[in-house]
């Protein structure tokens, strides 16, 4: 159990150290100069050291300095105009193949800089942290989005699904990984180690995560699964400490009751779709008795939308909103939810509810609406306690996905559809 | 020792299978249609299946069909003209930020197609094999280079040094990995398992390799090292079955006597520089008694160059060539080699000898010239048995590298320099 | 991370199952018959199955039935009188070699029975649990000690130090192992996962355990270590959540502040001595700056002894006892403790304090007496808060051990010795 | 892949070193004195060191000195007469419980000495090597058997089946383990790495081994398996380099064609029975299509027996012997073999052929006799090329075993039985 895994990582560090000592002979340099040197590609030993030195310098910066740093990256390491114009000229002179050269010539130099930073010990991890900051700063300065496109492009390529590893997390998992799961759970908070144990070690509970080799034991995304008899309509029953166990060999339903992205620095790089489908396969193989794969999902946009559109709603639904705001949970909350899910549209097309957009986009079907499904403060505030189930049926996923993404059709089970027509 | 590592790989395969069964309902399609569908991004389950199906289709092709396939990829999945022209217009209308958009707009669609192929089970491995074929076909049809630029660009990003793992190969290494080492050794052939055992299991021998997670236990590159007392001038003494062992704790010299790239499909993606320097660090840490790190390298271009330039050489060197061709090995072979190494220049600058280009480019110094160093047929044919040592001194690597790549200066030890001035 | 370690364990189980199905054809048998059959050695397949069936039967017994079971084992599977008498006769007739035969002939048949039980899946673990019960029942029926001698003999042989593995427990350790550490800590309770994290993950804290292959990830014994500047005199300071960290590279002292045996079923099989000495070596190797290895140990017998012997003590010590009982902690508590440690003798020789017996027997020296060292209720009740340090100095351990075990000399540092002579 | 497994082993070594340095202060001692000291149990640190020092001293001995060493162990560390006589007296005075004490009292002191030697680094491995020598010397001096009984007793306990691990050996197995398989194969020699590869890496070949934790990656015993359509009658067809592969998913038969014990120092400790039955289970689970589990076994005693009993045989069998000696292979060789297998009896009961004794004792049945089954020189010499199949049928193993070990009945398939009655 004594581990040697970090031996070579240390070595990489030492290569960097050596490079640094070489660098030390020259006067202290600005981070701009360091980036220049890294990009123009002096020797590789210095390359590793330089990359690390830039990260270290960066880590010492305050927000204002980081903002300057990113702005510098964007402006100083932009596209090479001259090269671009040359390629452009060749193309316009009739060389069609120059169109591909144009792409190469117009690559922002910041991309190569990021690739070289990635060579440093722990480079990928530090770049993900760096982008996390960048996303934060973009909230104030949207012009940084130009630079973020580089990160996003490279991360999309590096975190290609072909490089991810699915792993089951259970009670034999090292504590440092489990601790991260507690921290990262974003949907239904894990209240401590006892709660965690219930979610990973009970025979009718599973937790699966995607990992990337360059991030080591830091997960990218994970999903929590409950094996149950039927489709559940209440998150409280799933999370309860004193619930009854289900024998997995007799369960018929696998419920995805929580999906959490772990790395905010990877925002916009999508893993959830792959994760759910692979876990469906894994569970189906292990427990052939499972016939139904559903989520138990929040409806985060329901209340906000309903309040905003109260005046446009049919009277009985407007009344439902009023009643719900008064603390009542009338049966027509289901009708209201169906109305929201099936008729409200996002400005860019598709469903307006963000969770719905994810699952419908994956090809799942809106299966059921559950009132009084979430007693938590969050659940009450977002949707008066309403939750829904999305069904993952591998045999219809493809068709659903096409109908949704092609014609914008929102696939829902007949009982949900019927709620639209009520009254 | 019973292994489960392939369980989830199988699963990915099964996800793909499921997708395939969905696909199966439609009529058989052409590989062109399949690529179209993959790129336009129907559902993800089908995505994995489609990618695999394209690989399978590809594997069944003969060379002519593969040539057609690559030509199709290049032409059909080229740059989106319209998008490019729009971005161009914006830029030319004065929007400087559109320059970055131009880059994005002009990305050949083949790049995204390759990324999606990579999602398939074993995708990276299959793409490397595919490029291997592509490089072969480029020998006949250089216009395929346009497509190869995509592979090269993506592989350069995916096989970034930050994603590589250094591992020592020894006698505890699984046989399937060792078998690959035997196959891949390109410089001094490994004649079988006994020879291999001498190279990895003797206390004064080491073998290190770089691996990439997506290629599993298939190495990218490896280097063989001998720990010796002094700098050796004879490869035969290093490879001999009955040589005397050196106590590693008393060795002063580490000799890199063979470096082999393993994946022809990764040609042009450079790892050797990183590998040598990291092994220098590793060995220096483990055996502080080591003071000298050198190669024992072939001079593959010597004879060919000398024969071609015999008439231009000083008389005593021209006579040396004649004598060497007559089977003699006069002392002036060293002078001739020094002349070749220090004065011959490549058309694109730098040394003309390909091995010299690699080591000098890394910042090594030409340390010594050895006659009668390689009795093998190859060695006699390429360089009349001459070999050289390049010295890796971490304290001067940076400076050497700059002098070489900046001013084209070929760094050599004084005794080698002096050979130039003789007579 | 998907594990296959249990695959073959399952198989062993299945071999046993198959055997069981064979057995099933005969009528249900008594556990006595089953033991008879196991010992007379029908086929091996049934052997595994029988062993498991006996364990299963045993697990279903109440205490009375277990008492009967053990009595049966002792009486029915005792020594073979006839064989013994034959061997005895040979010996008495002058065959000296028959003395060794006498040993073999007189082996209680229960020993071979236990060996055959051990072949069952998880047999060792179940035997350890069985002896745990046996020890419990010996409290009421000391005649079971005859049977316990078999368990103790076999466990002593099976848990030979040569079969144990030292492992470090840290924050990368699987949660199920860490959970056991929390449960097993017997000296200074671990209050939860946060407390555990402080003890295993802080840079100046270590935890080492011995494992045995047949018990898997269930530890046998573990020791907790704090790296500190000087010798500590207060357990509270070591356990405090908000304590100051020590840089391990600057620490001079390693403090063994808690040693816990984990398996009550292995009582009497001693591991602590080996564990401490190996950890001393390990720490000394990793941190050459460490110069002092001490314990911070309770004095569990102090108060009880002092109350029992108050009348025999010198007046100032008798007064000390009275004051201590009144809640005072006079400086003379140290004198009293020195008196107890250095003069009180166990009926079988050596120190009377059980913790002192362990450490002095290992060759450690009583180094220091600390008042107000343990504010816990336990510490107050057992020793009015007094704790002591024992010093492990590898260079004198051997001599100390001989002096203690040979002449019963209690080795203590001069300042402790001087406390005896005070007043 | 950089390994840390030896870190703590080194440590144990260092504990021993330290102990040795303590010992070094005294004058050099005889190995007798060292054993005395080890047994009387000075401090544990010295204990490890002493044990190792005794091993080192032993390793330097020639055969004569080893013989003296073993004789010394037997005589000096025999049974404690006095203790034995005391226990005997108690028993004879009527204390029945003293019978168990008698066993304890009469344990040869050599047993405890061996247990303490086992604590040294690599102690178990060195003890197995020591017994290997002892067995060799027993060939000349049978009186050493008294000492060997200690080794055998302790090894029997330590190598209890409950402590063994079954592992599959394949092409992912480390080369150092595979190399041992090549060395240990005792039945059908492995001619090199290519031959090995065929036996472990072909889809229709398997190799399983038992390992013990204290012997690391050195196997105890292994069995080679071929998956075939029907029951094979020719070992050459199984070993041929150019044989046709069988799809394991369509195979109906698993053939155990070679079983090799690896550790001569463990002679008399039986593992083969457990190994075969567990592999039957493992294969049956993995390939439910397998219906038949047989061996293809040599008949090592046939020719020798037939030549010795030629005069007692029926004429047609005596003629068969003559013909066979003349290089012919008449059909009646099968009759002769049946006669040998079914009628020849060992002096201690059961079959006389050693391989038959093993398999019949396991409960297997003699299934078929194959002429011209082994063209090797060995096979011709031992049995004129005859081999046999033993059938392992889990459903009858128990019954067969009882009939064989109880009534000495040799279980054979009807066609084999019928050969007896022919003519």
């Amino acid at each position: 159990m004594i581990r040697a895994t970090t031996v070579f990582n240390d070595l990489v560090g030492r290569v960097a150290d050596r490079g640094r000592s070489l660098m030390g002979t020259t006067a202290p340099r600005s981070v701009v100069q360091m980036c220049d040197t890294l990009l123009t590609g002096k020797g590789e030993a210095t390359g590793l050291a330089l990359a690390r030195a830039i990260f270290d310098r960066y880590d010492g910066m305050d927000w204002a300095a980081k903002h300057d740093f990113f702005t510098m990256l964007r402006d100083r390491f932009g596209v090479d105009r001259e090269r671009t114009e040359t390629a452009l000229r060749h193309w316009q002179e009739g060389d069609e193949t120059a169109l591909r050269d144009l792409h190469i010539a117009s690559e922002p130099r910041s991309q190569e800089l990021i690739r070289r930073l990635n060579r440093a010990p722990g480079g990928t991890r530090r770049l993900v942290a760096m982008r996390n900051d960048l996303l934060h700063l973009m909230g104030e300065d949207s012009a940084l989005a130009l630079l973020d496109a580089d990160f996003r492009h490279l991360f999309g390529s590096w975190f290609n699904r072909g490089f991810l590893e699915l792993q089951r997390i259970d009670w034999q998992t090292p504590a440092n990984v489990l601790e991260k799961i507690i921290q990262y759970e974003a949907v239904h908070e894990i209240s401590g180690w006892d709660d965690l144990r219930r979610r990973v070690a009970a025979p009718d509970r599973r937790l699966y995560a995607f990992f990337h080799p360059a991030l080591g034991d830091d997960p990218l995304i994970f999903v929590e699964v409950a094996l149950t008899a039927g489709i559940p309509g209440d998150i409280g029953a799933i999370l309860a400490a004193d619930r009854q166990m289900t024998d997995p060999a007799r369960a018929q339903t696998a419920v995805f009751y929580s999906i959490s992205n772990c790395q905010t620095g990877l925002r916009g790089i999508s893993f959830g779709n792959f994760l759910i489908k692979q876990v469906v396969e894994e569970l189906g193989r292990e427990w052939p008795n499972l016939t139904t794969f559903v989520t138990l999902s929040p409806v985060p946009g329901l209340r906000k939308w309903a309040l905003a559109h109260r005046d446009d709603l049919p009277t009985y639904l407007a009344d439902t909103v009023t009643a719900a705001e008064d603390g009542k949970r009338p049966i027509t909350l289901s009708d209201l939810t169906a109305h929201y899910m099936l008729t409200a549209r996002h400005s860019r097309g598709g469903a307006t509810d963000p969770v719905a957009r994810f699952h419908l986009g994956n090809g799942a079907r809106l299966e059921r609406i559950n009132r009084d499904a979430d007693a938590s403060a969050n659940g009450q505030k977002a949707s008066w306690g309403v939750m829904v189930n999305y069904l993952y049926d591998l045999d219809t996923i493809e068709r659903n996905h096409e109908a949704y993404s092609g014609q914008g059709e929102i696939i829902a089970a007949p009982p949900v559809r019927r709620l639209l027509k009520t009254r």
Side-chain angles (χ1 to χ4, degrees), chain A:
Chain A
M1 220 146 84
I2 300 297
R3 290 171 213 83
T5 47
T6 54
V7 168
F8 274 125
N9 292 340
D10 287 358
L11 275 177
V12 179
R14 223 164 305 114
V15 177
D17 285 339
R18 176 72 70 125
R20 177 156 23 207
S21 76
L22 302 180
M23 289 159 30
T25 57
T26 60
R29 287 173 300 172
S30 71
V31 73
V32 180
Q33 287 174 306
M34 291 161 77
C35 291
D36 276 347
T37 308
L38 181 63
L39 192 55
T40 54
K42 304 274 182 107
E44 299 298 357
T46 301
L48 292 190
L50 254 180
R52 192 162 82 167
I54 293 169
F55 280 123
D56 291 347
R57 196 71 73 88
Y58 175 83
D59 287 346
M61 294 180 187
D62 61 14
W63 281 110
K66 287 180 177 179
H67 190 276
D68 290 349
F69 176 74
F70 290 128
T71 306
M72 180 274 288
L73 286 189
R74 184 194 61 196
D75 295 344
R76 186 176 185 92
F77 298 100
V79 178
D80 184 328
R81 277 190 80 102
E82 201 174 329
R83 255 184 93 198
T84 305
E85 283 166 349
T86 304
L88 189 56
R89 202 161 44 241
H90 288 160
W91 178 45
Q92 288 171 333
E93 287 167 9
D95 178 2
E96 272 307 305
T97 67
L99 198 47
R100 280 170 179 264
D101 292 340
L102 180 61
H103 172 66
I104 295 169
S106 63
E107 184 183 272
R109 296 161 71 237
S110 42
Q111 284 199 16
E112 181 60 20
L113 190 64
I114 293 171
R115 280 189 212 103
R116 295 192 178 200
L117 284 168
N118 191 59
R119 293 175 186 165
T124 312
R125 189 186 301 270
R126 299 182 90 168
L127 284 171
V128 170
M130 198 179 261
R131 183 175 178 235
N132 192 28
D133 292 348
L134 177 60
L135 290 170
H136 175 78
L137 290 168
M138 275 169 62
E140 300 157 23
D141 177 3
S142 62
L144 290 173
L146 279 177
L147 178 65
D148 183 56
D150 293 334
F151 280 95
R152 189 165 173 162
H153 172 75
L154 289 170
F155 287 0
S157 195
W158 290 343
F159 289 88
N160 186 294
R161 194 260 160 277
F163 300 136
L164 306 187
E165 294 169 17
L166 181 65
Q167 298 185 357
R168 182 169 168 205
I169 303 293
D170 59 20
W171 201 235
Q172 274 80 48
T173 301
N176 62 331
V177 177
L178 292 176
E179 189 177 43
K180 292 199 183 88
I181 297 293
I182 295 179
Q183 290 162 3
Y184 288 140
E185 160 65 74
V187 186
H188 302 293
E189 194 192 353
I190 300 177
S191 65
W193 289 83
D194 289 337
D195 191 4
L196 175 71
R197 196 187 200 296
R198 284 195 295 273
R199 301 199 197 188
V200 303
D204 57 352
R205 292 291 182 269
R206 294 296 168 94
L207 197 155
Y208 295 91
F210 267 146
F211 290 82
H212 186 278
L215 295 194
D217 50 17
D218 204 356
L220 304 187
I221 186 173
F222 63 88
V223 61
E224 295 169 69
V225 189
L227 306 182
T228 60
I231 299 180
D234 178 3
I235 188 68
I238 284 180
L239 299 177
D242 58 351
R243 68 184 176 76
Q244 267 217 313
M245 299 279 179
T246 303
D247 176 355
R250 291 162 183 274
Q252 295 185 300
T253 309
V255 186
F256 299 82
Y257 66 90
S258 187
I259 304 176
S260 297
N261 281 292
C262 307
Q263 309 291 337
T264 50
L266 292 178
R267 193 199 298 165
I269 318 298
S270 175
F271 312 113
N273 180 15
F274 292 112
L275 178 62
I276 291 177
K277 286 172 188 167
Q278 192 164 342
V279 171
V280 166
E281 288 289 341
E282 158 71 359
L283 288 170
R285 185 188 63 87
E286 188 177 354
W287 304 110
N289 44 297
L290 291 174
T291 55
T292 308
F293 297 87
V294 293
T295 72
L296 181 56
S297 304
V299 193
L302 174 61
R303 179 162 165 264
K304 193 174 165 196
W305 173 88
L307 292 175
H309 295 81
R310 190 180 338 199
D311 297 346
D312 312 325
L313 291 171
T315 312
Y316 79 100
L317 293 181
D319 292 349
T320 301
V321 175
T322 308
E325 285 296 287
D326 286 350
K328 292 172 197 134
R329 298 292 176 257
I331 196 169
T332 47
L333 259 178
S334 295
D335 305 66
L336 178 66
T337 307
H339 205 82
Y340 168 61
M341 298 294 273
L342 296 175
T343 69
R345 282 296 182 282
H346 193 274
S347 58
R348 290 199 302 271
T352 194
D353 189 80
V355 172
R357 293 174 67 81
F358 174 71
H359 291 298
L360 296 174
N362 291 345
R365 153 174 120 163
L366 176 60
E367 190 65 11
R368 212 172 72 185
I369 293 169
N370 308 288
R371 278 178 308 128
D372 292 326
D374 185 358
S376 75
N378 267 349
Q380 293 297 320
K381 189 174 162 199
S383 62
W384 300 298
V386 171
M387 298 185 82
V388 299
N389 306 112
Y390 298 96
L391 178 77
Y392 278 79
D393 172 5
L394 290 187
D395 292 330
T396 59
I397 271 181
E398 211 53 47
R399 210 173 327 133
N400 294 346
H401 166 76
E402 275 182 58
Y404 178 75
S405 60
Q407 298 90 49
E409 187 186 340
I410 289 174
I411 309 294
V416 174
R417 303 224 134 263
R418 278 196 291 275
L419 284 173
L420 254 199
K421 297 163 193 162
T422 319
R423 294 174 218 203

